[in-house]
Amino acid sequence: MTRRIEETLHPGMAAAFEAEEVLHEGQSGAQGLCLIRNRIFGRMLFLDGVTQVTEADEFIYHEMLAHLPILAHGAAHRVLIIGGGDGGMAEEVLKHRSVERVTMVEIDPSVVEFSRRHLGAISKGAFDDPRLELVFADGARFAAEAEPRFDVAIIDSTDPIGPGEALFTEAFYTDCRRLLAPGGVLVTQNGVPFLQPEELRQTMTVFRRIFAVPACYRAAVPSYVGGDMAFGWGSDARAPLEVPVETLAARFAEAGLETRYYTPEVHKAAFVLPAFIRDLVEAG
Ligand code: SAM
């Protein structure tokens, strides 16, 4: 019988993924790690039973968290990634020639080691790029102690359970703001608001308090079931959020990016929110 891996992240429902093959199952540091091959999604990585990344739809999530802030900023040289152990975010960020240095802070070295071995189709050599600096540390502690100034900071975290919990706190977001250079932008993954409304509401309440320009944008990522996923946006500069579509199109062409989801028009449209998501963003 075909084995099913059930994701039970959301009380009241479970998402089941058929495993054509279980490629690995075990403990990685403090997290349970499972890799399967699924007919629709290809290789799928689960941490503590929660979907992290799949070969088939990672492009949506990674393109939307990497290209939006970088192209909106317009001159991003230094980029911080917190989490992102599979390497897919680093790969997308490193496509930008303007980026001189990417600092990726991952708490679990074994996720990186495992992904290098089994998810090469996602990281595509990013781990060997000399512009990538890998730091193995708790992202919350790094943000509290780091000196450098970043043009773009991307929080590519697990959900707010276990080690990821610290990456959803006011203290962490405040530290991230301090790490931004003038004109810098922070983006965060904030789950699927239909199923995890509190996650977005709480983050946006903090963003409204600490950033001059808080915002939220969205994209639907099929393996993160439940509809649109929400991404947080925080900056003290207005220009990146208000950059005209023509400017984005010029930067996109200049960067020579080949994308499967991102377009300058999708970029602008992603900030148009359905009423129930807008209400969560403005609540509190
Ligand atoms: N795209 C995914 C999602 O939305 O579920 C996230 C993928 S990425 C694999 C998440 C990474 O965050 C994991 O490798 C995990 O080890 C890392 N992580 C969790 N808590 C962390 C922390 N406090 N500091 C740094 N990295 C952390």
Side-chain angles (χ1 to χ4, degrees):
M1 209 178 80
T2 313
R3 171 113 179 257
R4 281 168 185 263
I5 303 293
E6 279 198 4
E7 184 194 57
T8 51
L9 177 62
H10 312 293
M13 66 171 278
F17 298 93
E18 278 180 10
E20 287 188 316
E21 196 183 344
V22 177
L23 298 155
H24 180 89
E25 219 171 2
Q27 197 67 19
S28 131
Q31 307 177 95
L33 191 151
C34 174
L35 182 73
I36 66 164
R37 189 161 44 79
N38 173 271
R39 197 156 118 178
I40 297 166
F41 293 105
R43 289 187 174 204
M44 299 184 71
L45 175 70
F46 298 83
L47 288 178
D48 287 338
V50 179
T51 315
Q52 297 296 308
V53 70
T54 90
E55 284 179 334
D57 68 359
E58 57 89 20
F59 68 99
I60 304 173
Y61 175 87
H62 291 134
E63 288 183 14
M64 289 302 274
L65 271 172
H67 301 322
L68 256 91
I70 293 175
L71 291 171
H73 184 282
H77 302 307
R78 300 199 54 151
V79 176
L80 173 67
I81 299 170
I82 305 258
D86 53 73
M89 194 64 74
E91 194 264 335
E92 215 60 53
V93 168
L94 287 162
K95 286 182 180 168
H96 292 265
R97 289 187 296 264
S98 68
V99 171
E100 292 161 6
R101 193 154 189 79
V102 179
T103 303
M104 178 176 142
V105 184
E106 165 61 55
I107 200 166
D108 190 342
S110 42
V111 176
V112 171
E113 198 230 317
F114 186 84
S115 301
R116 276 183 103 129
R117 236 176 326 128
H118 299 284
L119 294 171
I122 291 176
S123 57
K124 297 192 190 87
F127 290 119
D128 300 319
D129 191 308
R131 294 175 293 161
L132 180 71
E133 175 196 17
L134 255 181
V135 178
F136 291 117
D138 178 355
R141 176 167 284 193
F142 175 91
E145 293 169 359
E147 286 304 332
R149 299 259 148 177
F150 296 94
D151 301 308
V152 166
I154 301 170
I155 313 308
D156 182 12
S157 63
T158 47
D159 287 273
I161 318 162
E165 204 175 339
L167 307 181
F168 290 81
T169 62
E170 175 154 6
F172 172 67
Y173 291 138
T174 306
D175 287 331
C176 287
R177 175 178 178 263
R178 186 183 57 79
L179 291 183
L180 292 178
V185 178
L186 168 71
V187 290
T188 56
Q189 79 89 350
N190 281 102
V192 172
F194 183 80
L195 296 172
Q196 298 155 296
E198 276 310 292
E199 191 175 314
L200 179 62
R201 198 185 58 74
Q202 282 169 14
T203 294
M204 284 297 122
T205 302
V206 173
F207 275 29
R208 279 204 314 276
R209 231 181 347 248
I210 65 175
F211 286 110
V213 186
C216 170
Y217 64 102
R218 69 198 171 102
V221 183
S223 59
Y224 304 144
V225 294
D228 280 327
M229 172 163 219
F231 304 108
W233 171 287
S235 180
D236 285 336
R238 187 147 290 284
L241 186 63
E242 295 184 348
V243 61
V245 71
E246 296 77 14
T247 307
L248 289 173
R251 289 176 184 169
F252 182 58
E254 166 71 23
L257 296 174
E258 279 179 25
T259 53
R260 291 176 63 208
Y261 191 87
Y262 180 93
T263 69
E265 292 78 15
V266 163
H267 178 140
K268 295 302 281 185
F271 288 90
V272 179
L273 302 178
F276 85 96
I277 300 182
R278 180 207 58 204
D279 291 347
L280 287 170
V281 169
E282 291 175 0

